[in-house]
Structure formats: structure tokens, C-alpha cells
Amino acid sequence: AAIRASMARREHNLYTVAHNGIDYVVVQTPIEQNNWMLFCMIPTSALAEDYEAITRLRHMQMIIISLTLALVAFTIILHMLRDWKRLRTENAMLTVRASTDSMTGLLNQGTTSEQITSELKTHLGEGMLLLLDLDNLKGINDTLGHPIGDRAILVLSDLMREIFADASVIGRIGGDEFAVIARGSDYDSIDALVESVAVHNAAAKRDGGIVIACGMAKYDGEKSVNAVFERADQRMYENKVSLKQGRGE
């Protein structure tokens, strides 16, 4: 009765009916041109299958969208990591350049002074400060030229790396002056290392090679870092005077 009343009122309607044991969804809609009524009967089982298909399709769409978003996020993170690594590498290179002597590759004057000050304050009584000087560099520059003098500085820097292989600090603090903090195995064998310098000097005097003036001072609990520098510098000066006397100057 309700369906017939709806048809009489020419309404759009949706309802279910059973026919021959099969449930149908009926869509009722009027056609204005000729006063007809259009009915469409769809088995509910078909609708259920279509609904499941649509649900699966939407589920696949969500998976695809999620994977796409994950790929985009991964790509963004990968680019960020690459940029971060590049910046870290560039910053590390800038730090090295800022702390390294451009000629020798050793620590430069500022960094050497900072690290020596830190070492002296942190490890008092546990190491030795050595100051080394390329003897007669002015004479080399005046007689053989500055390129040969620069070469002599490079040879000395390589020699210091070889002799003081375990030094905690090794750097250039002036044109021809170098500083070394000997700790650990270098400190334990400091006499042998100094003897290596003496042996090198003897051979250099004989063969016309590079002679090294050296002065050292042990950390004796000085309150002032300058006191250690002054003692090492005084001993290096005395060694330079001795080397000059040996050349007959």
C-alpha cells in the first residue's frame, strides 16, 4: 500500500522487495515527459559485491597514496641527510683550514697556543714542552733564496712528525719555530727523542743539511703557562748559541 501510494504521488523512492526468493533493491523515479514511472530492480547480492569491490578499490587507493607519501618523505629525508653530510664535511674542512698552517699542514700558531695552554693546565707534571727552531734560516734565505728556506721548513715539519709520532700537540708557532707537547710514549722516551734530534744535527752538520735548535721544559706545576714557555725558550736559545759557536760565528 505504501509503495502504491508513493507511485500515485509520482515520488522518487528506494525500497526493497522479494521476488522468487531473491531480494531486490528497487529504485523508482518518475519520467515527466509522458507520465511514466521508471523502475530499476537490482539484486542486493550484486550491490554487496559492488560495495566490496569499491571498498577494495578504495583500500588499494589508500595503500598507493600511503606508499607515495612515504616515498616522497623518504626522498625529502634523503636529500636532507645529504645536505647535512655535505654541510658537516664543509664545516669540518673549514675548521681544519682555520686551525692548520697552510705551508706545513701542522697546527697553526693560534691553535697551537690554545692547545698547549689547555694541555699545560690539564696535565701538569705529566709531559714535556719542546720548542724547536730551524737554525740559521736567515742565512739559508739570504744565500740560497726563500724557496730553499721554505723547503727547509717543510723538511723540518716532516722530520718532527717522524720523531714525535705520538705527540698530543705539534704545530708551527712562528716563521721557523715549532712547538711540541710530548706525552704518553713520547714523554716516556723523551731522552731518546732528544738524542734523535742530536744525531740528526750531527749528520746535518756533516752533510750540509738542516740543523734544529731545541729547548724543552717539563711541567712542574707552574701557575703560569708562560713560565713553562720561558724555560723552554731559554734552553732553545742556549742551544742556538751553542750551534752558532759550532759554526764559528
Side-chain angles (χ1 to χ4, degrees), residues 6-13 27-40:
S6 174
M7 292 173 60
R9 293 192 296 271
R10 300 183 57 77
E11 296 175 337
H12 295 281
N13 206 347
V27 180
Q28 164 193 309
T29 185
I31 300 177
E32 300 296 338
Q33 284 79 0
N34 52 15
N35 293 323
W36 285 10
M37 293 290 291
L38 176 65
F39 293 88
C40 181

Side-chain angles (χ1 to χ4, degrees), residues 135-148:
D135 188 49
N136 196 34
L137 177 62
K138 185 178 183 303
I140 295 174
N141 287 334
D142 291 343
T143 58
L144 302 177
H146 285 275
I148 301 301

